[in-house]
Amino acid sequence: MSPPSVVLAADDAALIRLVRAAFEEEAVPLAVVGAGTARAAAVRSPLGIGLAAGPTGLELALATGPDEPWLVDRDPRRLGRIAARLAARRPLGELP
Amino acid sequence: MIVAGVDVGNATTEVAIARLSPGREPEFLSVTRGPTTGAKGSAAAADGVLDLIARASRRLGEEPARILLADLHPVETGLRELAADEERDLGGVAIARPVSATPSGLGAAAGRLVDLDDLAGEPAGEPVIPIVPPLDFDEASARLNDARARGWRITAIVVANDDGVLIGNRVDRTLPIIDEVADAADLPRGAWAAIEVAAPGGAVEQLADPLRLAVLLALDPARARGARNAARGLVGHRAAIAVRGEASSGDSHRDAPPLATLRDGSQIPVDHAVAPPALGAVRAVEGVDADLIDAFWAPLPAPDDDARLALALHARRAVGLAVLAERGDRVLEAALAERAGCEVVVVGAETAAAVAGASTTPGAGHAPIVIDMGGGTVDLHVGLGGEARAVAAAGAGHLVDRICGAILGVDHLRAEQAKRLPSVHVETPFILRHEDGGRTFLERPAPARCVAHLCLAERRDGSLDPLEAALPPELWARLRRAAKRDVIAANLRRAAEAVGGLPAGELAVLVGGCAEDQEVVDEVSLALADLDLAIARGDILGRHGPRAAVAVGLVLLHAEAA
């Protein structure tokens, strides 16, 4: 059984630490897999929410709907918080 | 001859242009409407009237030779929150406020506020609450753990960043920790403080209890009751901080509500706890520089199944007030006559015109009861057996706007939208929960700013407008309906009493902007249910819905008189 987690596809340790911190703060499970696209990470996520580094920043994609990222942010901690709150269905707070 | 019947309402101006020919029924050429510019009856309102006439004239290729007006009485509406004006004495508590979206730990604790840097020294002989400045959570956690290992008694923690849970996980998950305290640097070091964190979904209990708060802050028993204002401000929040301050009595300076002077010379407060008197009983209200025809007020509605919200709304001591004033000048008429270059005629009272207009509703015949619900007033006209009675009660759509705006914390323009649009809660980017609890799915994801928010849903294109108020749509819908009931339905009952009651079994035609709102129609129907009336929405000239009854009616009255 897969835990209900958001999936982060990344190899960058600094980025992973910041995103993990955001998820820990929000008490939302995060699974980390090797680098890939945010869309592919979202498809792997039981919650349908994926994160991955893109050309202009960290990308947040949804498993359904358009292929393009739903949000892009240069601040990984902030986008991590947004993804965690999205999974927890809480107001997202400050947006990029 | 071309004439223009003009109804300048408090919110909307409506113009009906018609051709009058001797011996023939008026031929209506156009009915248009736009926002009222300036106050009703003011010279500024002429701008909107002339703009509407000019646009219609261009389209028709003819200009009116005569402008027909009703006898206008302006209505002012406002909302005053007495609590907002009060000076609150926190009774020996310097700071008392809710904090943190994601606090850590559970329970209440007290201690002396110290800087994180202070923990480098020898342990104090008393409990402390360190203040963590913007700092990496791993470093902050290491310093806190080191201090605890050296004997510091840390009972709670204040964190400037959004790192409360991170630090709690690395230090002690049971410690109450509040975070996102943007002004942590300004908290008074050395002061005695108390912090409480409730379980998710819960609310603080100890800090919201004046006695427990006083004990935590080591206030003496005589000062405990003075802490009630501080405690009251923390009710309903998951996490909170209170800091002990200088001794004080805890006496609030409570602003007195304005007084309404009745026609018998007695006075009553315009207060949320006092019901407004009968229609026409008020002749003056403190702070309103006019002789009044009527005054009406209503408090913010309180949900009967949510004590926490009801208490918060009650504590604001807010009251929406509408006053209908006498008007001695004719500035709008003069401005129109000067600028339009044509004759301006005051045909008669608005209520008589509304009856004439409402009677053009197919099947209505001569409508015996007409209820005109506009922005400023609820006008009631009863004409039976050759006898007619008409009254105008202050307070209608605009007052509902004010109350809705106060509940949602939005300006009156957005409040007007919130009054008439359905709301949804955006549960996920693809799922909307509606006011009846049903859910629909979006084809494209909702904007991020809408997620987990109450949003207004535009009927035309489905666009979403997020609101900051943390209300579920089911609750907001009940409050919105209650506002309409408390203002429009309640005012209609006052009007009905003023005309000596309504005859059962008759036809009542609803006209005016508020009659377009099905919720208002429902509330009016409920208010009059005992009378077994046939309540129908007007359809002016069979094609304009309940709008423009007065503008069309002015033309009809003028043609009849001619």
Side-chain angles (χ1 to χ4, degrees):
Chain A
M1 187 178 71
S2 303
S5 56
V6 174
V7 171
L8 167 64
D11 293 326
D12 180 338
L15 181 142
I16 292 170
R17 177 179 184 267
L18 289 170
V19 175
R20 271 195 197 284
F23 274 76
E24 184 182 338
E25 180 63 29
E26 298 293 332
V28 172
L30 176 73
V32 181
V33 299
T37 67
R39 174 73 163 194
V43 171
R44 289 182 66 172
S45 160
L47 297 172
I49 302 168
L51 294 162
T56 59
L58 187 65
E59 296 178 348
L60 188 164
L62 304 170
T64 51
D67 286 340
E68 64 265 24
W70 190 56
L71 287 173
V72 180
D73 196 348
R74 291 185 183 281
D75 180 348
R77 174 80 192 261
R78 180 169 62 188
L79 196 66
R81 187 202 67 221
I82 290 168
R85 290 186 178 184
L86 179 62
R89 302 189 177 189
R90 289 196 284 264
L92 307 184
E94 186 190 54
L95 296 169
Chain B
M1 178 175 61
I2 304 290
V3 298
V6 175
D7 178 20
V8 181
N10 287 278
T12 308
T13 295
E14 293 165 338
V15 174
I17 294 185
R19 187 190 312 279
L20 301 186
S21 306
R24 298 178 63 181
E25 292 288 311
E27 179 191 358
F28 284 92
L29 305 173
S30 89
V31 174
T32 53
R33 72 170 192 258
T36 296
T37 50
K40 180 177 182 174
S42 69
D47 294 340
V49 173
L50 294 172
D51 180 54
L52 284 171
I53 291 175
R55 278 193 277 157
S57 299
R58 276 196 300 274
R59 203 168 52 248
L60 298 170
E62 290 182 273
E63 289 185 358
R66 194 172 286 168
I67 292 174
L68 312 174
L69 290 175
D71 195 11
L72 301 173
H73 295 284
V75 176
E76 280 184 34
T77 59
L79 187 127
R80 185 163 179 208
E81 295 197 32
L82 288 172
D85 303 331
E86 287 170 2
E87 288 177 33
R88 278 265 154 115
D89 182 339
L90 298 180
V93 184
I95 297 167
R97 63 160 196 260
V99 283
S100 293
T102 53
S104 176
L106 192 64
R112 199 166 299 285
L113 291 172
V114 296
D115 268 323
L116 182 63
D117 287 345
D118 295 338
L119 302 183
E122 285 301 306
E126 60 182 354
V128 295
I129 299 177
I131 300 168
V132 178
L135 188 67
D136 181 83
F137 54 87
D138 275 330
E139 183 185 341
S141 301
R143 289 169 64 178
L144 289 161
N145 281 329
D146 174 61
R148 275 159 64 100
R150 288 186 291 107
W152 283 88
R153 285 169 54 205
I154 296 173
T155 51
I157 303 171
V158 176
V159 183
N161 283 347
D162 183 16
D163 291 341
V165 175
L166 288 159
I167 290 174
N169 288 348
R170 285 155 183 75
V171 177
D172 184 342
R173 289 183 183 188
T174 66
L175 278 183
I177 303 176
I178 57 169
D179 61 359
E180 296 179 274
V181 182
D183 62 347
D186 299 330
L187 291 176
R189 273 53 175 177
W192 195 257
I195 283 171
E196 183 175 1
V197 174
V204 295
E205 293 178 358
Q206 305 220 32
L207 266 59
D209 179 323
L211 268 183
R212 291 297 305 146
L213 174 62
V215 169
L216 283 165
L217 292 183
L219 301 175
D220 61 58
R223 292 164 64 192
R225 62 178 57 81
R228 67 186 184 282
N229 289 334
R232 202 176 287 148
L234 304 177
V235 169
H237 296 281
R238 188 184 162 204
I241 179 172
V243 181
R244 182 177 164 154
E246 295 298 316
S248 70
S249 64
D251 291 335
S252 296
H253 166 66
R254 287 171 76 88
D255 265 9
L259 292 172
T261 304
L262 308 187
R263 301 212 184 273
D264 64 5
S266 62
Q267 291 188 313
I268 58 172
V270 179
D271 190 86
H272 64 310
V274 176
L279 195 154
V282 176
R283 66 172 166 81
V285 170
E286 213 173 3
V288 178
D289 185 21
D291 294 329
L292 302 183
I293 298 168
D294 186 36
F296 175 82
W297 57 89
L300 301 185
D304 51 14
D305 57 350
D306 188 335
R308 204 180 285 172
L309 178 61
L311 202 59
L313 291 171
H314 184 270
R316 291 166 65 175
R317 299 179 65 209
V319 63
L321 170 69
V323 293
L324 177 63
E326 294 281 5
R327 178 168 164 260
D329 61 49
R330 294 281 174 201
V331 289
L332 173 62
E333 292 84 337
L336 285 174
E338 183 186 331
R339 293 172 57 189
C342 67
E343 190 183 3
V344 176
V345 178
V346 175
V347 174
E350 280 184 289
T351 47
V355 171
S359 297
T360 67
T361 298
H366 180 76
I369 302 171
V370 174
I371 301 165
D372 185 0
M373 305 176 295
T377 57
V378 173
D379 298 352
L380 173 63
H381 186 284
V382 182
L384 282 170
E387 197 179 326
R389 297 198 68 187
V391 291
H398 269 193
L399 191 54
V400 176
D401 294 349
R402 296 285 185 184
I403 291 172
C404 288
I407 297 168
L408 295 173
V410 298
D411 64 31
H412 72 276
L413 288 175
R414 290 188 82 203
E416 195 277 330
Q417 294 177 313
K419 176 184 70 176
R420 61 184 170 79
L421 292 176
S423 69
V424 295
H425 179 75
V426 183
E427 294 192 328
T428 77
F430 291 101
I431 300 177
L432 307 181
R433 189 176 85 249
H434 296 267
E435 292 175 353
D436 64 355
R439 287 164 172 79
T440 54
F441 296 81
L442 298 172
E443 288 183 13
R444 298 187 64 80
R449 64 194 166 83
C450 296
V451 172
H453 278 278
L454 177 70
C455 294
L456 302 178
E458 182 59 61
R459 286 195 179 91
R460 277 172 300 144
D461 58 6
S463 61
L464 299 170
D465 179 11
L467 300 164
E468 283 305 313
L471 294 172
E474 296 90 340
L475 177 55
W476 162 239
R478 290 206 302 278
L479 294 174
R480 185 186 64 218
R481 275 178 173 271
K484 293 171 184 176
R485 181 166 55 246
D486 293 350
V487 172
I488 296 175
N491 231 345
L492 178 56
R493 278 194 295 271
R494 287 171 79 233
E497 284 167 17
V499 298
L502 298 178
E506 275 295 347
L507 169 68
V509 179
L510 309 181
V511 298
C514 290
E516 289 185 324
D517 184 337
Q518 186 59 44
E519 288 182 344
V520 171
V521 175
D522 290 344
E523 294 299 338
V524 165
S525 300
L526 186 62
L528 302 178
D530 290 346
L531 296 172
D532 188 28
L533 293 171
I535 296 174
R537 217 190 302 239
D539 185 15
I540 310 308
L541 298 172
R543 56 184 182 277
H544 298 294
R547 293 271 193 177
V550 172
V552 167
L554 287 168
V555 173
L556 294 171
L557 291 180
H558 184 65
E560 203 176 286

